[in-house]
Amino acid sequence: MTAKINAARINAALGPVAGEVTELLGSLGVDPALWQDGGRAVRSPVTGEVVAHVAEASAADVGAAVERSVAAFHAWRTVPAPRRGELVRLLGEELRAHKAALGRLVTLEAGKIVSEGLGEVQEMIDICDFAVGLSRQLYGLTIASERPGHRMMETWHPVGPVGIITAFNFPVAVWSWNAALALVCGDSLLWKPSEKTPLTALAVQALFERAAAAFGDAPEGLSQVLVGGGEVGAALTDDARVPVISATGSTRMGRIVGERVAKRFGRSILELGGNNAAIVCPSADLDLSLRGIAFAAMGTAGQRCTSLRRLIVNEGVYDELVPRLAKAYGSVTIGDPRAAGTLIGPLIDKQAYEGMQAALDKARAAGATVHGGERVAVAGAEEAYYVRPALVEIESQVEVVKHETFAPILYVLRVGGLTEAIALQNGVPQGLSSSIFTNDMREAETFMSAEGSDCGIANVNIGPSGAEIGGAFGGEKETGGGREAGSDAWKAYMRRATNTINYSRTLPLAQGVSFDVEG
Ligand code: NAD
């Protein structure tokens, strides 16, 4: 069954956005030569119109940028970490001063609603604050030595240029999770943003350059942007002078990048696709669950790596919860992401729309009942792709449910008990985020235990999306295993040395080995 579109809930009649993009790029200090004279057309998902043309990096440009980055690293690694933190503090100040403009540009280039565009910049500010504190806390351990008169310790050193490959859906925040940490760790940066969102990257680079000018003596080439598609990312991936590649995007991309980096014994931080589930138990607060589910599944038009894609509902509450959810799906406001009251903006492009329809067709063929999912016409945006989020009631976890479709589709499955629910939750190739709605302490603890969720993120009474920067972010299995942002994620941007110091006058060997020579 397809839910009827409630036309009153569609924020229609869009004006063109190109003029505003031009103004914003100007106010953010981006050199017009970078986005007016180039080859690749950049479209806004808000109207589908072309808003800029960006110049792309060639393989030779990548090589030259890496060379500059190595030179910048050699200078930057000798700057004391708290002083490096000062540059990140200044970057945070620039982001605070330009939050409104950058947030708006995120809305125009990625299609996020206003509060989410601003939220993305706030996340950048938060990670800068975190990294400034971290710049005085890059601790190593002191370890007991078995040998008398000896001391052991760990020291952490800058590792080299860090390549940062990012996805379209968090066009600026993901860079900052990596960049703020890598900078205080003493590394230089090479950013390959998504080809779908190069403008926000150029704007962030302009803000970084302002921060660097205020800082005074940051080395030239400390942070660089390489605009282009997968081939530019691949050139970066293959360059042995870049010891760490942090790649965020699809599992398809991660499989290629992970293998290529491993081949040259580089280190990769992979942040790939998710297929996140929430379990609703009989004791759950259904009002709270409904709100949590709605934001996690429909927010950002289902285009978050942590978006809720599978809802596993206990049979005792299914018939109460699911009709209420269907009602929310039928009445949510879709349309111009700039308009007050809009909750669902556009999909990024036609390909995303087609992927969504193909998944819904497969679900229908498997006997599912589909509520919503159709394209929504928005005047003035005929080349854009607005959709009503789809709620899909399905009997079993068939193949299409195990696949991440990057669009607002929520598959709903009915289960009998927690053991069955956890088995379903874990029964997919991805392992990013998960949650449980329950007021039963035993159920919540079981979900978070060794026999519970197998994901990198396991939440209780909140949805799987909307992480804070203080925790380590990332997931297991096909999500790639990488961790970014808070906790001890910084260690991935440094190299560790174990030091043993002998302050005695003898030379005892470890494990009782003797090796006496005369001389
Ligand atoms: P994508 O994989 O199409 O592209 C991501 C980036 O990889 C882009 O910059 C792209 O140019 C680059 N790339 C593509 N092929 C490459 C190659 N062979 N070598 C090097 N780089 C290459 O992803 P997308 O459509 O931009 O983003 C959506 C995907 O990202 C979803 O799967 C989503 O779950 C995932 N994502 C994951 C996280 C996370 O933290 N786990 C966060 C955001 C998005």
Side-chain angles (χ1 to χ4, degrees):
M1 189 196 83
T2 302
K4 272 193 80 128
I5 306 170
N6 176 355
R9 293 290 195 148
I10 297 169
N11 274 324
L14 294 178
V17 301
E20 197 185 350
V21 168
T22 303
E23 270 173 40
L24 288 169
L25 290 171
S27 77
L28 288 160
V30 183
D31 180 352
L34 295 173
W35 55 274
Q36 285 180 348
D37 306 337
R40 188 186 278 271
V42 184
R43 287 180 184 275
S44 167
V46 178
T47 56
E49 78 200 76
V50 173
V51 293
H53 286 88
V54 290
E56 292 188 85
S58 64
D61 293 335
V62 175
V66 172
E67 197 172 321
R68 276 196 300 278
S69 196
V70 170
F73 166 67
H74 287 155
W76 190 239
R77 67 182 173 181
T78 64
V79 176
R83 173 86 183 125
R84 300 194 293 246
E86 171 61 8
L87 174 58
V88 175
R89 191 189 69 76
L90 290 166
L91 176 62
E93 291 297 291
E94 289 297 331
L95 290 165
R96 280 187 172 84
H98 296 90
K99 179 176 171 181
L102 185 58
R104 185 76 169 180
L105 196 58
V106 169
T107 290
L108 298 184
E109 196 179 35
K112 294 191 176 191
I113 61 171
V114 171
S115 67
E116 290 194 54
L118 291 171
E120 179 152 354
V121 184
Q122 186 57 47
E123 199 167 347
M124 301 178 81
I125 295 167
D126 294 343
I127 194 74
C128 285
D129 287 353
F130 178 91
V132 174
L134 180 68
S135 72
R136 291 181 186 270
Q137 300 175 73
L138 300 172
Y139 302 134
L141 297 173
T142 298
I143 302 148
S145 169
E146 68 184 58
R147 286 168 278 185
H150 284 58
R151 185 167 69 82
M152 288 172 71
M153 65 177 185
E154 282 181 345
T155 42
W156 292 88
H157 299 293
V159 69
V162 174
I164 305 170
I165 297 171
T166 55
F168 79 84
N169 67 318
F170 274 90
V172 287
V174 168
W175 172 81
S176 69
W177 295 349
N178 289 279
L181 299 195
L183 282 172
V184 300
C185 289
D187 303 329
S188 52
L189 314 172
L190 290 150
W191 182 10
K192 209 302 280 171
S194 166
E195 56 274 40
K196 296 175 186 172
T197 54
L199 301 178
T200 40
L202 294 174
V204 169
Q205 176 67 12
L207 296 181
F208 175 85
E209 280 164 14
R210 280 187 206 224
F215 181 76
D217 54 355
E220 193 262 333
L222 182 58
S223 173
Q224 300 174 73
V225 175
L226 293 162
V227 170
E231 60 301 339
V232 175
L236 201 53
T237 298
D238 288 342
D239 199 313
R241 294 170 295 175
V242 184
V244 179
I245 296 284
S246 173
T248 299
S250 58
T251 294
R252 182 204 64 80
M253 176 277 290
R255 231 183 268 286
I256 299 169
V257 168
E259 196 180 316
R260 289 171 86 141
V261 176
K263 231 177 215 158
R264 62 171 175 87
F265 298 103
R267 184 188 300 171
S268 55
I269 303 170
L270 298 176
E271 299 286 348
L272 311 175
N275 191 355
N276 318 296
I279 296 171
V280 185
C281 298
S283 69
D285 174 336
L286 291 190
D287 291 335
L288 181 145
S289 307
L290 185 85
R291 291 208 311 280
I293 293 162
F295 169 66
M298 294 192 279
T300 330
Q303 298 172 109
R304 284 190 187 219
C305 52
T306 51
S307 287
L308 176 60
R309 310 208 178 276
R310 298 176 296 134
L311 185 64
I312 300 166
V313 188
N314 185 280
E315 57 197 0
V317 286
Y318 190 102
D319 293 335
E320 190 182 344
L321 178 68
V322 178
R324 286 180 65 187
L325 255 182
K327 194 169 161 222
Y329 267 67
S331 63
V332 70
T333 307
I334 303 158
D336 186 347
R338 295 167 297 177
T342 297
L343 294 180
I344 315 287
L347 293 179
I348 189 71
D349 57 18
K350 185 178 182 201
Q351 201 189 343
Y353 170 73
E354 289 174 349
M356 177 177 182
Q357 297 311 312
L360 292 177
D361 286 346
K362 282 186 191 158
R364 282 189 194 99
T369 302
V370 177
H371 309 267
E374 66 281 359
R375 190 165 173 196
V376 170
V378 174
E382 286 72 21
E383 285 185 72
Y385 290 86
Y386 290 84
V387 290
R388 176 164 303 285
L391 189 68
V392 179
E393 295 184 75
I394 195 157
E395 258 180 43
S396 64
Q397 193 152 266
V398 295
E399 215 42 47
V400 70
V401 182
K402 294 182 183 170
H403 178 80
E404 180 201 45
T405 300
F406 213 57
I409 299 176
L410 180 61
Y411 299 105
V412 190
L413 296 147
R414 187 192 289 260
V415 288
L418 187 61
T419 307
E420 186 191 348
I422 291 175
L424 267 182
Q425 128 81 38
N426 291 345
V428 294
Q430 310 83 356
L432 179 52
S433 189
S434 59
S435 64
I436 189 167
F437 289 94
T438 180
N439 279 329
D440 181 322
M441 184 267 275
R442 288 185 181 131
E443 287 179 338
E445 290 290 337
T446 301
F447 179 73
M448 290 183 289
S449 75
E451 55 184 328
S453 165
D454 64 1
C455 291
I457 299 169
N459 295 335
V460 176
N461 288 335
I462 61 168
S465 74
E468 296 179 28
I469 58 95
F473 182 89
E476 304 300 329
K477 303 192 293 189
E478 286 193 1
T479 302
R483 291 296 186 278
E484 288 170 352
S487 184
D488 64 351
W490 60 270
K491 291 179 176 172
Y493 304 86
M494 301 199 87
R495 64 179 175 84
R496 181 199 314 237
T498 300
N499 312 121
T500 306
I501 301 125
N502 177 6
Y503 58 91
S504 74
R505 291 178 201 282
T506 59
L507 194 66
L509 299 180
Q511 295 92 39
V513 173
S514 66
F515 198 90
D516 294 325
V517 289
E518 289 189 13

